[in-house]
Amino acid sequence: TKSYLSSAADIARLMSTKRVFLFDCDGVIWNENTLVPGAKDLLTRLKQLGRQVFLVTNNSSKSRAQYVAKCRKLELPIEEADIVCTAAVAAGYISKLKLPGVTYVIGSQGLQDELELHGINCCGFREDDDTAVHDQGVEQFGDAPLRNDVSCVLLALDTRFNYLKLLKACSYVSAGALFLGSNEDAFLPSGQPSPTVPVRLPGTGAMLSALCVATQQQPAAVMGKPHRPMLDYAVQLMTEARQDQQPPPLSQWLMVGDRLDTDIAFGRRHGMDTVCVMTGCTKPEDLLDLSEADSELKPNCAAESVADLLPHLAEN
C-alpha cells in the first residue's frame, strides 16, 4: 500500500454518511477531453442512489450550457442544475447586488454568456483586444477612452489580456468600482508534457495579482474555490430544486478534488470532508510534505482516482 493513500476502510467510513458530492472537473472527472476511468460509473451510480452531484470548477471560460454539452459528449449524467462554474457564480453574485451602471469585464465568451443570461449590463471583453497600438510607448495610453458609468470590475481568465485592459480595470477600480475576481488559480493544467521545457500555463491568479498591485487593493470578493460564493451558489441550486426541503448539513457533503489549495481548502474551510485524487495536479510528495500547520490543505482521505470511491458508496 502506498503510504500517502487512505485505506479502503477509511474511505468507506468517510463516505458512509454523505448525501452531497462535489467534484472538481479537470484532473478529477476528466483530463482535457478524456474521461478519468471510473468517473462515468461513479456519477451514474450516485445519481441512481438519489445523491446530489455537483461539478464545481474554477474555470470561467465556459458557461453552464457549454459544460452540459461537454458532459453529454462524454456521456455523463449531468444536467445544468448540477454545474457550479465561476462564470455562473459571478453572474449570480453580481445580479443580486443590483448595481447601477455597467460592469467592466476581462474574460471569455462563456463568462459573457452567463452575464448576459442574468441581464447584467457589461462592457469590455473583446472590445479591447486590438493590439495594433501596443508596440508604441506607454504615453499613448494617457487619453485612453474611459466610461463614467462603470460600477464594477470583474476579472477572469483572458488569453488576450493586455496593457489596455489592465489600464481600464485599474482606472475603474481606483475610481471606486467594485473589484471582483473569478478565482485565484496561479496556474492551469498544461495537458501533454513538452518534449523540451515544461509548459507552465499562467492562471487567473496571475492576472488578478497584476490588478491588485496596480490598484493597491484586494478584490472585494473572489468567486471560485476556496471562497464562499461557490458554496452559496451550490446551496442556492439545491434550495431551488428541493423547494420546501433544507439542503443536508455540510457534514454530509464531500468535496473530491485534485488541488490542495483550491479543492481541499474549499472543503476544509467550509466544514466539508475531502478526498484528494492523484489524477491531476497533486503528486504523492505534495501529500507527504504536508505539516500540521497545513491543516486547511490536508485532505481527510487520498485515493488514486474517483474509481476508488465507487466500491464504498453507502446504498441506504
Side-chain angles (χ1 to χ4, degrees):
T1 301
K2 298 174 181 176
S3 61
Y4 57 88
L5 295 178
S6 302
S7 68
D10 285 342
I11 294 175
R13 193 158 40 243
L14 185 73
M15 296 184 62
S16 63
T17 60
K18 305 309 176 192
R19 294 295 178 267
V20 182
F21 291 78
L22 295 84
F23 297 92
D24 181 48
C25 297
D26 295 295
V28 178
I29 299 299
W30 57 64
N31 280 302
E32 295 187 348
N33 294 311
T34 303
L35 275 177
V36 170
K40 178 182 175 181
D41 292 339
L42 176 61
L43 296 180
T44 299
R45 186 62 184 142
L46 285 169
K47 289 276 192 170
Q48 290 171 344
L49 292 171
R51 305 293 190 263
Q52 176 65 59
V53 172
F54 288 118
L55 299 190
V56 292
T57 174
N58 279 1
N59 188 340
S60 63
S61 66
K62 292 183 175 67
S63 65
R64 288 176 298 169
Q66 288 173 308
Y67 273 111
V68 169
K70 178 169 185 173
C71 289
R72 286 179 179 164
K73 187 175 181 179
L74 294 172
E75 299 182 342
L76 295 175
I78 297 297
E79 304 298 329
E80 190 167 294
D82 304 326
I83 301 292
V84 180
C85 61
T86 49
V89 175
Y93 187 95
I94 295 172
S95 178
K96 288 180 180 178
L97 296 176
K98 301 188 183 304
L99 296 170
V102 302
T103 296
Y104 180 74
V105 184
I106 298 174
S108 58
Q109 185 62 50
L111 178 58
Q112 183 174 0
D113 292 345
E114 286 288 353
L115 292 169
E116 291 177 350
L117 192 64
H118 282 73
I120 297 167
N121 190 10
C122 300
C123 64
F125 293 111
R126 301 278 75 90
E127 70 186 47
D128 294 325
D129 281 351
D130 184 18
T131 59
V133 297
H134 295 164
D135 292 333
Q136 303 174 36
V138 173
E139 59 275 5
Q140 70 181 297
F141 294 102
D143 58 354
L146 296 172
R147 301 177 59 135
N148 61 7
D149 59 348
V150 172
S151 58
C152 179
V153 170
L154 172 62
L155 188 148
L157 184 68
D158 186 349
T159 57
R160 301 179 185 183
F161 187 64
N162 60 42
Y163 189 83
L164 180 59
K165 294 181 181 183
L166 179 59
L167 178 153
K168 287 191 173 184
C170 178
S171 300
Y172 293 137
V173 170
S174 298
L178 182 69
F179 177 14
L180 302 176
S182 68
N183 67 75
E184 297 169 316
D185 292 10
F187 64 93
L188 305 173
S190 56
Q192 296 300 317
S194 168
T196 54
V197 178
V199 174
R200 181 84 164 183
L201 299 177
T204 306
M207 302 169 197
L208 196 65
S209 294
L211 187 52
C212 290
V213 170
T215 60
Q216 297 186 309
Q217 295 186 42
Q218 294 297 312
V222 177
M223 302 298 109
K225 297 167 291 183
H227 298 284
R228 183 80 195 191
M230 188 154 265
L231 174 60
D232 290 340
Y233 187 80
V235 170
Q236 176 187 325
L237 291 177
M238 287 193 67
T239 302
E240 291 171 353
R242 291 169 174 249
Q243 295 179 344
D244 58 344
Q245 287 184 296
Q246 287 294 316
L250 290 172
S251 60
Q252 295 180 12
W253 294 44
L254 183 68
M255 177 69 219
V256 183
D258 70 311
R259 290 182 69 145
L260 303 179
D261 60 340
T262 55
D263 304 325
I264 304 308
F266 175 65
R268 297 301 296 263
R269 184 178 297 184
H270 301 298
M272 293 176 262
D273 286 331
T274 60
V275 174
C276 182
V277 294
M278 312 306 294
T279 46
C281 293
T282 297
K283 304 298 182 238
E285 55 268 28
D286 298 326
L287 294 176
L288 295 171
D289 288 345
L290 290 173
S291 67
E292 291 302 319
D294 299 319
S295 58
E296 192 175 77
L297 306 180
K298 192 173 292 186
N300 299 90
C301 285
E304 286 285 14
S305 77
V306 290
D308 295 335
L309 307 184
L310 182 57
H312 308 296
L313 285 179
E315 298 293 318
N316 58 326

